[in-house]
Amino acid sequence: ERPPRIETLLELTRLQELGHRRPSALSGGQQQRAAIARALARDPQVLLLDEPFAAVDWALRESLRRELVTLQRSLALTVLLVTHDFEDVAKLASHLVVLERGRVAASGTVEDLTARNAVPGIDGWREPAVALDAHIEGHDPHRQLTHIAAGALRLEVPLVDAPPGATVRVQLAAREVILASQRPEGLSLRNTLEARVITVESAEHPALRLVHLAVGETRLLSLVTADAARDLALEPGKPILALIKAVAIGAFA
């Protein structure tokens, strides 16, 4: 059984042309994929990855993240990923457990914890942002845009290289969500959403406020000045428009 099993694993990890090499003769990214292939050879029920992207540069890290998503989907495998990089969390995780000094500081779905801004203690967590799963509704090649949806939340984003129906992980930074009391005209932004204010809380800087929003059942965050919050009379239950530039939305497929 070994030769065909080896070929299958090498193909899964895109190493099929390199099966004759020793790991020491491979590049950093290839070594990472070879390590995953060796772990998969045991046909595990759970794959534990401890800081798998820490020793590679940004471009390779992004490529390996995409390969891990493809592997996980093709094998229907549970992956336990240990990381200090919030980009790994935002792009890969479905459930998050945050450990601080040996104790659980937060636990829940990534969508829920990021929407509540309840993700403490992660290196690289620089500002509030929501991570959520959406699906591709269709493409508009002429406009170079892709239509994605997550419940009542519908967005136009730069063209995504994935078929309709595919799942994409979306990141929406709070500072990229603009609030308005009336529909704007003559602006370059592509997304105007009807939202409702859930709550307004103090942000890290005393001049800022973090606004929790609902678009249907989907949660968003918006970072605004305290002055803007007063001008817009933001309070729980208030209808508001959330404006988001297409280029400000990270869609990871």
PDB file of all heavy atoms in Angstrom, residues 41-76:
ATOM      1  N   ALA A  41       0.435  10.706   6.957  1.00  0.00           N
ATOM      2  CA  ALA A  41       0.687   9.297   6.628  1.00  0.00           C
ATOM      3  C   ALA A  41       0.178   8.358   7.713  1.00  0.00           C
ATOM      4  O   ALA A  41      -0.106   7.189   7.451  1.00  0.00           O
ATOM      5  CB  ALA A  41       2.184   9.080   6.403  1.00  0.00           C
ATOM      6  N   ARG A  42       0.048   8.869   8.915  1.00  0.00           N
ATOM      7  CA  ARG A  42      -0.456   8.054  10.033  1.00  0.00           C
ATOM      8  C   ARG A  42      -1.983   7.994  10.054  1.00  0.00           C
ATOM      9  O   ARG A  42      -2.575   7.391  10.950  1.00  0.00           O
ATOM     10  CB  ARG A  42       0.061   8.613  11.352  1.00  0.00           C
ATOM     11  CG  ARG A  42       1.578   8.647  11.446  1.00  0.00           C
ATOM     12  CD  ARG A  42       2.036   9.355  12.714  1.00  0.00           C
ATOM     13  NE  ARG A  42       1.661   8.604  13.898  1.00  0.00           N
ATOM     14  CZ  ARG A  42       2.428   7.678  14.470  1.00  0.00           C
ATOM     15  NH1 ARG A  42       3.610   7.407  13.959  1.00  0.00           N
ATOM     16  NH2 ARG A  42       2.027   7.053  15.552  1.00  0.00           N
ATOM     17  N   ASP A  43      -2.613   8.664   9.083  1.00  0.00           N
ATOM     18  CA  ASP A  43      -4.078   8.699   8.988  1.00  0.00           C
ATOM     19  C   ASP A  43      -4.701   9.159  10.304  1.00  0.00           C
ATOM     20  O   ASP A  43      -5.547   8.466  10.895  1.00  0.00           O
ATOM     21  CB  ASP A  43      -4.617   7.318   8.595  1.00  0.00           C
ATOM     22  CG  ASP A  43      -6.063   7.390   8.115  1.00  0.00           C
ATOM     23  OD1 ASP A  43      -6.492   8.486   7.695  1.00  0.00           O
ATOM     24  OD2 ASP A  43      -6.763   6.363   8.173  1.00  0.00           O
ATOM     25  N   PRO A  44      -4.312  10.364  10.779  1.00  0.00           N
ATOM     26  CA  PRO A  44      -4.782  10.816  12.098  1.00  0.00           C
ATOM     27  C   PRO A  44      -6.231  11.289  12.063  1.00  0.00           C
ATOM     28  O   PRO A  44      -6.754  11.679  11.020  1.00  0.00           O
ATOM     29  CB  PRO A  44      -3.846  11.983  12.401  1.00  0.00           C
ATOM     30  CG  PRO A  44      -3.550  12.559  11.045  1.00  0.00           C
ATOM     31  CD  PRO A  44      -3.467  11.367  10.122  1.00  0.00           C
ATOM     32  N   GLN A  45      -6.860  11.284  13.225  1.00  0.00           N
ATOM     33  CA  GLN A  45      -8.190  11.877  13.360  1.00  0.00           C
ATOM     34  C   GLN A  45      -8.087  13.378  13.609  1.00  0.00           C
ATOM     35  O   GLN A  45      -8.993  14.124  13.269  1.00  0.00           O
ATOM     36  CB  GLN A  45      -8.952  11.207  14.500  1.00  0.00           C
ATOM     37  CG  GLN A  45      -9.335   9.763  14.224  1.00  0.00           C
ATOM     38  CD  GLN A  45     -10.124   9.173  15.374  1.00  0.00           C
ATOM     39  OE1 GLN A  45      -9.651   9.092  16.505  1.00  0.00           O
ATOM     40  NE2 GLN A  45     -11.338   8.760  15.098  1.00  0.00           N
ATOM     41  N   VAL A  46      -6.988  13.787  14.243  1.00  0.00           N
ATOM     42  CA  VAL A  46      -6.753  15.202  14.543  1.00  0.00           C
ATOM     43  C   VAL A  46      -5.315  15.529  14.152  1.00  0.00           C
ATOM     44  O   VAL A  46      -4.398  14.752  14.435  1.00  0.00           O
ATOM     45  CB  VAL A  46      -6.967  15.515  16.042  1.00  0.00           C
ATOM     46  CG1 VAL A  46      -6.681  16.987  16.332  1.00  0.00           C
ATOM     47  CG2 VAL A  46      -8.377  15.148  16.474  1.00  0.00           C
ATOM     48  N   LEU A  47      -5.124  16.673  13.511  1.00  0.00           N
ATOM     49  CA  LEU A  47      -3.795  17.130  13.122  1.00  0.00           C
ATOM     50  C   LEU A  47      -3.424  18.327  13.998  1.00  0.00           C
ATOM     51  O   LEU A  47      -4.124  19.333  13.993  1.00  0.00           O
ATOM     52  CB  LEU A  47      -3.786  17.526  11.648  1.00  0.00           C
ATOM     53  CG  LEU A  47      -2.444  17.932  11.038  1.00  0.00           C
ATOM     54  CD1 LEU A  47      -1.469  16.766  11.045  1.00  0.00           C
ATOM     55  CD2 LEU A  47      -2.639  18.446   9.615  1.00  0.00           C
ATOM     56  N   LEU A  48      -2.346  18.202  14.767  1.00  0.00           N
ATOM     57  CA  LEU A  48      -1.869  19.289  15.631  1.00  0.00           C
ATOM     58  C   LEU A  48      -0.744  20.023  14.928  1.00  0.00           C
ATOM     59  O   LEU A  48       0.271  19.432  14.569  1.00  0.00           O
ATOM     60  CB  LEU A  48      -1.369  18.728  16.973  1.00  0.00           C
ATOM     61  CG  LEU A  48      -0.626  19.713  17.884  1.00  0.00           C
ATOM     62  CD1 LEU A  48      -1.531  20.860  18.298  1.00  0.00           C
ATOM     63  CD2 LEU A  48      -0.064  18.997  19.100  1.00  0.00           C
ATOM     64  N   LEU A  49      -0.925  21.323  14.714  1.00  0.00           N
ATOM     65  CA  LEU A  49       0.090  22.160  14.079  1.00  0.00           C
ATOM     66  C   LEU A  49       0.501  23.244  15.070  1.00  0.00           C
ATOM     67  O   LEU A  49      -0.325  24.063  15.481  1.00  0.00           O
ATOM     68  CB  LEU A  49      -0.466  22.797  12.798  1.00  0.00           C
ATOM     69  CG  LEU A  49      -0.959  21.835  11.721  1.00  0.00           C
ATOM     70  CD1 LEU A  49      -1.533  22.614  10.538  1.00  0.00           C
ATOM     71  CD2 LEU A  49       0.157  20.932  11.249  1.00  0.00           C
ATOM     72  N   ASP A  50       1.775  23.243  15.450  1.00  0.00           N
ATOM     73  CA  ASP A  50       2.286  24.196  16.429  1.00  0.00           C
ATOM     74  C   ASP A  50       3.115  25.256  15.712  1.00  0.00           C
ATOM     75  O   ASP A  50       4.228  24.976  15.254  1.00  0.00           O
ATOM     76  CB  ASP A  50       3.140  23.455  17.466  1.00  0.00           C
ATOM     77  CG  ASP A  50       3.550  24.350  18.627  1.00  0.00           C
ATOM     78  OD1 ASP A  50       3.145  25.538  18.632  1.00  0.00           O
ATOM     79  OD2 ASP A  50       4.260  23.873  19.514  1.00  0.00           O
ATOM     80  N   GLU A  51       2.570  26.463  15.591  1.00  0.00           N
ATOM     81  CA  GLU A  51       3.235  27.589  14.909  1.00  0.00           C
ATOM     82  C   GLU A  51       3.789  27.158  13.543  1.00  0.00           C
ATOM     83  O   GLU A  51       4.973  27.330  13.253  1.00  0.00           O
ATOM     84  CB  GLU A  51       4.379  28.139  15.777  1.00  0.00           C
ATOM     85  CG  GLU A  51       3.973  28.610  17.146  1.00  0.00           C
ATOM     86  CD  GLU A  51       3.313  29.978  17.141  1.00  0.00           C
ATOM     87  OE1 GLU A  51       3.115  30.540  16.053  1.00  0.00           O
ATOM     88  OE2 GLU A  51       2.986  30.477  18.227  1.00  0.00           O
ATOM     89  N   PRO A  52       2.934  26.600  12.657  1.00  0.00           N
ATOM     90  CA  PRO A  52       3.454  26.008  11.414  1.00  0.00           C
ATOM     91  C   PRO A  52       4.009  27.016  10.418  1.00  0.00           C
ATOM     92  O   PRO A  52       4.756  26.640   9.519  1.00  0.00           O
ATOM     93  CB  PRO A  52       2.228  25.295  10.839  1.00  0.00           C
ATOM     94  CG  PRO A  52       1.064  26.071  11.375  1.00  0.00           C
ATOM     95  CD  PRO A  52       1.479  26.489  12.755  1.00  0.00           C
ATOM     96  N   PHE A  53       3.651  28.296  10.554  1.00  0.00           N
ATOM     97  CA  PHE A  53       4.073  29.285   9.560  1.00  0.00           C
ATOM     98  C   PHE A  53       5.094  30.276  10.123  1.00  0.00           C
ATOM     99  O   PHE A  53       5.422  31.268   9.478  1.00  0.00           O
ATOM    100  CB  PHE A  53       2.860  30.071   9.043  1.00  0.00           C
ATOM    101  CG  PHE A  53       1.680  29.203   8.703  1.00  0.00           C
ATOM    102  CD1 PHE A  53       0.423  29.480   9.236  1.00  0.00           C
ATOM    103  CD2 PHE A  53       1.809  28.119   7.866  1.00  0.00           C
ATOM    104  CE1 PHE A  53      -0.668  28.683   8.935  1.00  0.00           C
ATOM    105  CE2 PHE A  53       0.722  27.305   7.564  1.00  0.00           C
ATOM    106  CZ  PHE A  53      -0.517  27.590   8.098  1.00  0.00           C
ATOM    107  N   ALA A  54       5.609  30.009  11.320  1.00  0.00           N
ATOM    108  CA  ALA A  54       6.435  31.001  11.998  1.00  0.00           C
ATOM    109  C   ALA A  54       7.767  31.249  11.301  1.00  0.00           C
ATOM    110  O   ALA A  54       8.318  32.341  11.380  1.00  0.00           O
ATOM    111  CB  ALA A  54       6.682  30.562  13.444  1.00  0.00           C
ATOM    112  N   ALA A  55       8.310  30.249  10.612  1.00  0.00           N
ATOM    113  CA  ALA A  55       9.670  30.362  10.068  1.00  0.00           C
ATOM    114  C   ALA A  55       9.704  30.727   8.588  1.00  0.00           C
ATOM    115  O   ALA A  55      10.748  30.615   7.958  1.00  0.00           O
ATOM    116  CB  ALA A  55      10.417  29.049  10.294  1.00  0.00           C
ATOM    117  N   VAL A  56       8.577  31.159   8.028  1.00  0.00           N
ATOM    118  CA  VAL A  56       8.540  31.473   6.598  1.00  0.00           C
ATOM    119  C   VAL A  56       8.102  32.914   6.395  1.00  0.00           C
ATOM    120  O   VAL A  56       7.507  33.529   7.286  1.00  0.00           O
ATOM    121  CB  VAL A  56       7.594  30.512   5.832  1.00  0.00           C
ATOM    122  CG1 VAL A  56       8.093  29.086   5.924  1.00  0.00           C
ATOM    123  CG2 VAL A  56       6.165  30.591   6.384  1.00  0.00           C
ATOM    124  N   ASP A  57       8.409  33.459   5.204  1.00  0.00           N
ATOM    125  CA  ASP A  57       8.074  34.860   4.940  1.00  0.00           C
ATOM    126  C   ASP A  57       6.586  35.020   4.655  1.00  0.00           C
ATOM    127  O   ASP A  57       5.843  34.043   4.546  1.00  0.00           O
ATOM    128  CB  ASP A  57       8.921  35.424   3.797  1.00  0.00           C
ATOM    129  CG  ASP A  57       8.712  34.694   2.478  1.00  0.00           C
ATOM    130  OD1 ASP A  57       7.597  34.175   2.235  1.00  0.00           O
ATOM    131  OD2 ASP A  57       9.661  34.626   1.671  1.00  0.00           O
ATOM    132  N   TRP A  58       6.162  36.295   4.505  1.00  0.00           N
ATOM    133  CA  TRP A  58       4.724  36.583   4.401  1.00  0.00           C
ATOM    134  C   TRP A  58       4.090  35.902   3.207  1.00  0.00           C
ATOM    135  O   TRP A  58       3.012  35.295   3.325  1.00  0.00           O
ATOM    136  CB  TRP A  58       4.507  38.096   4.300  1.00  0.00           C
ATOM    137  CG  TRP A  58       3.054  38.439   4.169  1.00  0.00           C
ATOM    138  CD1 TRP A  58       2.157  38.640   5.179  1.00  0.00           C
ATOM    139  CD2 TRP A  58       2.302  38.575   2.958  1.00  0.00           C
ATOM    140  NE1 TRP A  58       0.902  38.901   4.673  1.00  0.00           N
ATOM    141  CE2 TRP A  58       0.958  38.873   3.312  1.00  0.00           C
ATOM    142  CE3 TRP A  58       2.628  38.478   1.603  1.00  0.00           C
ATOM    143  CZ2 TRP A  58      -0.029  39.055   2.360  1.00  0.00           C
ATOM    144  CZ3 TRP A  58       1.627  38.671   0.662  1.00  0.00           C
ATOM    145  CH2 TRP A  58       0.317  38.957   1.044  1.00  0.00           C
ATOM    146  N   ALA A  59       4.712  35.982   2.027  1.00  0.00           N
ATOM    147  CA  ALA A  59       4.109  35.424   0.817  1.00  0.00           C
ATOM    148  C   ALA A  59       3.951  33.914   0.943  1.00  0.00           C
ATOM    149  O   ALA A  59       2.902  33.348   0.592  1.00  0.00           O
ATOM    150  CB  ALA A  59       4.959  35.773  -0.406  1.00  0.00           C
ATOM    151  N   LEU A  60       4.969  33.241   1.451  1.00  0.00           N
ATOM    152  CA  LEU A  60       4.895  31.788   1.619  1.00  0.00           C
ATOM    153  C   LEU A  60       3.885  31.425   2.700  1.00  0.00           C
ATOM    154  O   LEU A  60       3.153  30.437   2.579  1.00  0.00           O
ATOM    155  CB  LEU A  60       6.275  31.243   1.964  1.00  0.00           C
ATOM    156  CG  LEU A  60       6.390  29.722   2.096  1.00  0.00           C
ATOM    157  CD1 LEU A  60       5.854  29.033   0.851  1.00  0.00           C
ATOM    158  CD2 LEU A  60       7.837  29.324   2.350  1.00  0.00           C
ATOM    159  N   ARG A  61       3.826  32.232   3.759  1.00  0.00           N
ATOM    160  CA  ARG A  61       2.857  31.990   4.827  1.00  0.00           C
ATOM    161  C   ARG A  61       1.436  32.026   4.267  1.00  0.00           C
ATOM    162  O   ARG A  61       0.602  31.162   4.578  1.00  0.00           O
ATOM    163  CB  ARG A  61       3.028  33.044   5.923  1.00  0.00           C
ATOM    164  CG  ARG A  61       2.261  32.763   7.195  1.00  0.00           C
ATOM    165  CD  ARG A  61       2.539  33.834   8.225  1.00  0.00           C
ATOM    166  NE  ARG A  61       3.968  33.928   8.513  1.00  0.00           N
ATOM    167  CZ  ARG A  61       4.638  35.075   8.565  1.00  0.00           C
ATOM    168  NH1 ARG A  61       4.020  36.215   8.359  1.00  0.00           N
ATOM    169  NH2 ARG A  61       5.921  35.067   8.841  1.00  0.00           N
ATOM    170  N   GLU A  62       1.155  33.008   3.407  1.00  0.00           N
ATOM    171  CA  GLU A  62      -0.185  33.108   2.815  1.00  0.00           C
ATOM    172  C   GLU A  62      -0.481  31.909   1.935  1.00  0.00           C
ATOM    173  O   GLU A  62      -1.584  31.354   1.946  1.00  0.00           O
ATOM    174  CB  GLU A  62      -0.264  34.409   1.999  1.00  0.00           C
ATOM    175  CG  GLU A  62      -1.683  34.843   1.667  1.00  0.00           C
ATOM    176  CD  GLU A  62      -2.452  35.395   2.857  1.00  0.00           C
ATOM    177  OE1 GLU A  62      -1.935  35.348   4.000  1.00  0.00           O
ATOM    178  OE2 GLU A  62      -3.573  35.859   2.649  1.00  0.00           O
ATOM    179  N   SER A  63       0.507  31.455   1.170  1.00  0.00           N
ATOM    180  CA  SER A  63       0.332  30.285   0.313  1.00  0.00           C
ATOM    181  C   SER A  63       0.076  29.030   1.144  1.00  0.00           C
ATOM    182  O   SER A  63      -0.806  28.218   0.821  1.00  0.00           O
ATOM    183  CB  SER A  63       1.577  30.106  -0.562  1.00  0.00           C
ATOM    184  OG  SER A  63       1.498  28.907  -1.298  1.00  0.00           O
ATOM    185  N   LEU A  64       0.823  28.867   2.228  1.00  0.00           N
ATOM    186  CA  LEU A  64       0.641  27.693   3.076  1.00  0.00           C
ATOM    187  C   LEU A  64      -0.720  27.708   3.765  1.00  0.00           C
ATOM    188  O   LEU A  64      -1.335  26.653   3.971  1.00  0.00           O
ATOM    189  CB  LEU A  64       1.761  27.631   4.120  1.00  0.00           C
ATOM    190  CG  LEU A  64       3.145  27.246   3.598  1.00  0.00           C
ATOM    191  CD1 LEU A  64       4.191  27.435   4.687  1.00  0.00           C
ATOM    192  CD2 LEU A  64       3.162  25.817   3.089  1.00  0.00           C
ATOM    193  N   ARG A  65      -1.188  28.885   4.133  1.00  0.00           N
ATOM    194  CA  ARG A  65      -2.535  28.974   4.729  1.00  0.00           C
ATOM    195  C   ARG A  65      -3.584  28.450   3.747  1.00  0.00           C
ATOM    196  O   ARG A  65      -4.481  27.693   4.125  1.00  0.00           O
ATOM    197  CB  ARG A  65      -2.858  30.411   5.109  1.00  0.00           C
ATOM    198  CG  ARG A  65      -2.166  30.914   6.377  1.00  0.00           C
ATOM    199  CD  ARG A  65      -2.503  32.369   6.605  1.00  0.00           C
ATOM    200  NE  ARG A  65      -1.858  32.911   7.784  1.00  0.00           N
ATOM    201  CZ  ARG A  65      -1.288  34.106   7.840  1.00  0.00           C
ATOM    202  NH1 ARG A  65      -1.285  34.892   6.768  1.00  0.00           N
ATOM    203  NH2 ARG A  65      -0.725  34.545   8.938  1.00  0.00           N
ATOM    204  N   ARG A  66      -3.465  28.872   2.489  1.00  0.00           N
ATOM    205  CA  ARG A  66      -4.429  28.417   1.486  1.00  0.00           C
ATOM    206  C   ARG A  66      -4.343  26.899   1.293  1.00  0.00           C
ATOM    207  O   ARG A  66      -5.369  26.216   1.149  1.00  0.00           O
ATOM    208  CB  ARG A  66      -4.189  29.133   0.156  1.00  0.00           C
ATOM    209  CG  ARG A  66      -4.450  30.634   0.220  1.00  0.00           C
ATOM    210  CD  ARG A  66      -4.273  31.294  -1.137  1.00  0.00           C
ATOM    211  NE  ARG A  66      -4.308  32.735  -1.014  1.00  0.00           N
ATOM    212  CZ  ARG A  66      -5.414  33.472  -0.911  1.00  0.00           C
ATOM    213  NH1 ARG A  66      -6.586  32.866  -0.926  1.00  0.00           N
ATOM    214  NH2 ARG A  66      -5.361  34.780  -0.802  1.00  0.00           N
ATOM    215  N   GLU A  67      -3.131  26.374   1.297  1.00  0.00           N
ATOM    216  CA  GLU A  67      -2.965  24.930   1.129  1.00  0.00           C
ATOM    217  C   GLU A  67      -3.552  24.173   2.309  1.00  0.00           C
ATOM    218  O   GLU A  67      -4.136  23.095   2.144  1.00  0.00           O
ATOM    219  CB  GLU A  67      -1.492  24.597   0.945  1.00  0.00           C
ATOM    220  CG  GLU A  67      -0.935  25.076  -0.389  1.00  0.00           C
ATOM    221  CD  GLU A  67       0.545  24.817  -0.524  1.00  0.00           C
ATOM    222  OE1 GLU A  67       1.096  24.071   0.309  1.00  0.00           O
ATOM    223  OE2 GLU A  67       1.142  25.351  -1.462  1.00  0.00           O
ATOM    224  N   LEU A  68      -3.406  24.724   3.512  1.00  0.00           N
ATOM    225  CA  LEU A  68      -3.973  24.072   4.690  1.00  0.00           C
ATOM    226  C   LEU A  68      -5.496  24.040   4.609  1.00  0.00           C
ATOM    227  O   LEU A  68      -6.128  23.030   4.957  1.00  0.00           O
ATOM    228  CB  LEU A  68      -3.517  24.801   5.952  1.00  0.00           C
ATOM    229  CG  LEU A  68      -4.021  24.210   7.276  1.00  0.00           C
ATOM    230  CD1 LEU A  68      -3.608  22.758   7.412  1.00  0.00           C
ATOM    231  CD2 LEU A  68      -3.507  25.027   8.450  1.00  0.00           C
ATOM    232  N   VAL A  69      -6.110  25.137   4.146  1.00  0.00           N
ATOM    233  CA  VAL A  69      -7.564  25.159   3.974  1.00  0.00           C
ATOM    234  C   VAL A  69      -7.990  24.083   2.980  1.00  0.00           C
ATOM    235  O   VAL A  69      -8.953  23.335   3.211  1.00  0.00           O
ATOM    236  CB  VAL A  69      -8.033  26.549   3.500  1.00  0.00           C
ATOM    237  CG1 VAL A  69      -9.491  26.505   3.063  1.00  0.00           C
ATOM    238  CG2 VAL A  69      -7.861  27.573   4.604  1.00  0.00           C
ATOM    239  N   THR A  70      -7.282  23.977   1.857  1.00  0.00           N
ATOM    240  CA  THR A  70      -7.602  22.971   0.842  1.00  0.00           C
ATOM    241  C   THR A  70      -7.472  21.565   1.411  1.00  0.00           C
ATOM    242  O   THR A  70      -8.336  20.704   1.192  1.00  0.00           O
ATOM    243  CB  THR A  70      -6.672  23.131  -0.378  1.00  0.00           C
ATOM    244  OG1 THR A  70      -6.843  24.439  -0.925  1.00  0.00           O
ATOM    245  CG2 THR A  70      -6.992  22.098  -1.447  1.00  0.00           C
ATOM    246  N   LEU A  71      -6.387  21.310   2.153  1.00  0.00           N
ATOM    247  CA  LEU A  71      -6.181  20.002   2.773  1.00  0.00           C
ATOM    248  C   LEU A  71      -7.303  19.661   3.741  1.00  0.00           C
ATOM    249  O   LEU A  71      -7.857  18.558   3.720  1.00  0.00           O
ATOM    250  CB  LEU A  71      -4.850  20.001   3.527  1.00  0.00           C
ATOM    251  CG  LEU A  71      -3.600  19.539   2.793  1.00  0.00           C
ATOM    252  CD1 LEU A  71      -2.395  19.701   3.700  1.00  0.00           C
ATOM    253  CD2 LEU A  71      -3.728  18.101   2.338  1.00  0.00           C
ATOM    254  N   GLN A  72      -7.617  20.619   4.600  1.00  0.00           N
ATOM    255  CA  GLN A  72      -8.636  20.362   5.621  1.00  0.00           C
ATOM    256  C   GLN A  72      -9.977  20.030   4.990  1.00  0.00           C
ATOM    257  O   GLN A  72     -10.688  19.124   5.427  1.00  0.00           O
ATOM    258  CB  GLN A  72      -8.752  21.585   6.538  1.00  0.00           C
ATOM    259  CG  GLN A  72      -9.481  21.326   7.849  1.00  0.00           C
ATOM    260  CD  GLN A  72     -10.987  21.442   7.712  1.00  0.00           C
ATOM    261  OE1 GLN A  72     -11.476  22.139   6.816  1.00  0.00           O
ATOM    262  NE2 GLN A  72     -11.711  20.773   8.573  1.00  0.00           N
ATOM    263  N   ARG A  73     -10.318  20.759   3.923  1.00  0.00           N
ATOM    264  CA  ARG A  73     -11.607  20.513   3.259  1.00  0.00           C
ATOM    265  C   ARG A  73     -11.610  19.183   2.522  1.00  0.00           C
ATOM    266  O   ARG A  73     -12.603  18.451   2.520  1.00  0.00           O
ATOM    267  CB  ARG A  73     -11.914  21.662   2.294  1.00  0.00           C
ATOM    268  CG  ARG A  73     -12.273  22.968   2.998  1.00  0.00           C
ATOM    269  CD  ARG A  73     -12.428  24.102   2.010  1.00  0.00           C
ATOM    270  NE  ARG A  73     -12.792  25.344   2.683  1.00  0.00           N
ATOM    271  CZ  ARG A  73     -12.814  26.530   2.096  1.00  0.00           C
ATOM    272  NH1 ARG A  73     -12.466  26.646   0.818  1.00  0.00           N
ATOM    273  NH2 ARG A  73     -13.154  27.605   2.785  1.00  0.00           N
ATOM    274  N   SER A  74     -10.501  18.846   1.872  1.00  0.00           N
ATOM    275  CA  SER A  74     -10.456  17.615   1.086  1.00  0.00           C
ATOM    276  C   SER A  74     -10.423  16.378   1.976  1.00  0.00           C
ATOM    277  O   SER A  74     -10.919  15.320   1.590  1.00  0.00           O
ATOM    278  CB  SER A  74      -9.246  17.616   0.144  1.00  0.00           C
ATOM    279  OG  SER A  74      -8.032  17.658   0.881  1.00  0.00           O
ATOM    280  N   LEU A  75      -9.857  16.481   3.185  1.00  0.00           N
ATOM    281  CA  LEU A  75      -9.732  15.330   4.073  1.00  0.00           C
ATOM    282  C   LEU A  75     -10.788  15.311   5.175  1.00  0.00           C
ATOM    283  O   LEU A  75     -10.877  14.334   5.911  1.00  0.00           O
ATOM    284  CB  LEU A  75      -8.344  15.327   4.722  1.00  0.00           C
ATOM    285  CG  LEU A  75      -7.152  15.203   3.770  1.00  0.00           C
ATOM    286  CD1 LEU A  75      -5.849  15.332   4.543  1.00  0.00           C
ATOM    287  CD2 LEU A  75      -7.205  13.878   3.019  1.00  0.00           C
ATOM    288  N   ALA A  76     -11.564  16.396   5.306  1.00  0.00           N
ATOM    289  CA  ALA A  76     -12.547  16.513   6.399  1.00  0.00           C
ATOM    290  C   ALA A  76     -11.869  16.221   7.733  1.00  0.00           C
ATOM    291  O   ALA A  76     -12.355  15.466   8.564  1.00  0.00           O
ATOM    292  CB  ALA A  76     -13.734  15.588   6.164  1.00  0.00           C
TER     293      ALA A  76
END
